[in-house]
Every structure is written in C-alpha cells, then in structure tokens.
Amino acid sequence: RFTRRKDSNVVITFDAPQYAEVRIPITAYIRTDVVLTPGAANFGSVPAGKPAEKSIELAYAGRPDWKISEVKSPRDYISVETTETLREGGRVNYSLKVSLKENAPTGLLQEQLTIVTDDANSPNVPLLFVARIESDIEVTPNVLAMGRMTSGSSKKMNLVVKGLKPFTISGIISESKSEDLKVATPPGQKPVHILPITIIAPAASGAFEDHLVINIEGRDEPVKVRVYGESVQ
C-alpha cells in the first residue's frame, strides 16, 4: 500500500512480571522502479530429494541500459538463472528461474536471495525464498524430553509417525537394547501410525539418553527419535 520511504514501529507489550512497552523502529524503502511477479519464490511443500523450479518475472522502468549482473544465493541448494526478455526505451524485463536442488534439507526454509544490478545508488534487490521440504516419513514429536523422573517410575506417550503414502513399520527397537523403552510394532500398512510408548526411568540416578529406532519397510535408513531425561532417587 506504500511507496518510497516508510517509517513505522513494532510495539511489544509485556504484562508480567511488570507492565512494559518496547518500540522497535522499522524503516523501509519501497522501490517503484522494480516490480517482481510474484513477489517471492514460494515453493510451498516439496518432497525431500525432489528438485523444483519457480519462475519470477522482473520488470524495471528507468535507465535504458539497466541490467542484472548476478543473483546471489546464501545456500548451495538454491540457484537462479536470469534471462533478459525485453529491452525497450526505459523498460527492461527479466525472467528469473529459481531452482531448488535435491540436497535441500528437510524442514522450513526461509532465505533471502539478492539480485545484484548495475544501479550505483541502489544495486541490490531482495527476493524472498520460502519452501517446506517434507521428509517421506515424519515423527511427532521427534524428541522425547522426559524431564526429571523418579527411578523406576514410568511415563506413557504417543508418537505419531506420518508418511507421504501408506507404509509398514517393520520393527522398533531401542538403540541401546534397553528394556526401559517399551513400544509395540503396529500391524498393517497405513499413512499414519500412532505408537504408544512407555519410558521407565533407570534405577541408577543421573542423566539418561537413548534413541528409538523405527525401521520402515522398503526404506534404507531407519527413523530415530531421541529420548532423554534425568533419573532421581
């Protein structure tokens, strides 16, 4: 809704332990000479290990000899190719092909790409990159923090194991072969498995840690869930 310089504030209000108000000043300059369509490279959800591409159209109005020199990416799994599509009078158009490579890590990715131009006064144009890389198997929660437990006591929790397609769990074991982690292997092929787990605090006092190893039929690598806490007398 704005162009050129815009000043504003983010106001954060605290009500405890006592009332306080913090103002964070924000200054932005909204350029009118460069327009990106769409305004960000938003890939949405992408399966892990799958490449993807998005096209961004850049339109510039101003100098007839204006040009893009490069596009800088902060990650090796994001690359950008630029193609000039129009140069007419003071108008210059580019097509940007943003590529997401197979080695992108799982999870939410948010990066800023930098379009570098030959404009001496304002050479850099930011381009937001967003993608969520989905693993073929996701476990919620992926870490079981048990906190302080009395020695010999037990806690029960549920793990939700979700796949992009129906799958079979072939076995679940404790990485240390401990009997303090108890979980049954669910039968059948389903896109979502709910695993009831019982964690027993070791008899010896002190910190404890282990991993649940979930083997998926047809999947080379198992899925591991960290379990940790402290056993007290």
Side-chain angles (χ1 to χ4, degrees), residues 117-128:
T117 74
D118 67 347
D119 187 334
N121 294 322
S122 186
N124 298 330
V125 178
L127 172 60
L128 178 65

Side-chain angles (χ1 to χ4, degrees), residues 74-145:
R75 306 297 177 189
D76 63 355
Y77 51 78
I78 306 170
S79 64
V80 182
E81 294 180 16
T82 62
T83 303
E84 184 179 312
T85 58
L86 175 70
R87 186 171 295 274
E88 183 179 85
R91 297 172 55 204
V92 182
N93 290 359
Y94 279 88
S95 180
L96 281 61
K97 184 173 74 173
V98 184
S99 298
L100 176 64
K101 300 179 182 179
E102 297 92 334
N103 62 333
T106 58
L108 178 63
L109 308 179
Q110 290 183 321
E111 303 290 349
Q112 181 173 290
L113 310 179
T114 303
I115 304 169
V116 183
T117 74
D118 67 347
D119 187 334
N121 294 322
S122 186
N124 298 330
V125 178
L127 172 60
L128 178 65
F129 170 95
V130 181
R132 180 177 292 279
I133 310 302
E134 293 189 341
S135 174
D136 59 332
I137 301 293
E138 291 189 351
V139 181
T140 306
N142 58 6
V143 175
L144 297 178

Side-chain angles (χ1 to χ4, degrees), residues 147-155 180 199-208 229-233:
R148 292 167 62 91
M149 296 177 63
T150 303
S151 298
S153 66
S154 64
K155 286 185 180 180
D180 293 334
I199 298 97
I200 302 173
S205 297
F208 64 88
E230 182 183 3
S231 180
V232 297
Q233 297 291 342

Side-chain angles (χ1 to χ4, degrees), residues 11 35 66-67 71 83 97 105 116 141 144 155 159 184 188:
V11 180
V35 177
W66 184 91
K67 65 179 180 180
V71 179
T83 303
K97 184 173 74 173
V116 183
L144 297 178
K155 286 185 180 180
L159 275 184

Side-chain angles (χ1 to χ4, degrees), residues 153-231:
S153 66
S154 64
K155 286 185 180 180
K156 294 184 178 180
M157 302 183 70
N158 285 338
L159 275 184
V160 179
V161 186
K162 181 180 178 182
L164 297 177
K165 59 183 180 180
F167 64 97
T168 300
I169 296 178
S170 57
I172 308 172
I173 61 172
S174 160
E175 190 171 54
S176 67
K177 306 298 191 293
S178 170
E179 295 295 324
D180 293 334
L181 295 179
K182 301 180 183 295
V183 57
T185 301
Q189 187 180 69
K190 295 181 290 186
V192 178
H193 295 268
I194 299 177
L195 309 180
I197 298 173
T198 300
I199 298 97
I200 302 173
S205 297
F208 64 88
E209 181 173 344
D210 205 343
H211 287 83
L212 277 176
V213 181
I214 305 171
N215 292 296
I216 309 296
E217 192 173 284
R219 193 177 195 266
D220 294 336
E221 293 293 325
V223 178
K224 293 186 178 182
V225 178
R226 182 185 177 214
V227 182
Y228 71 97
E230 182 183 3
S231 180

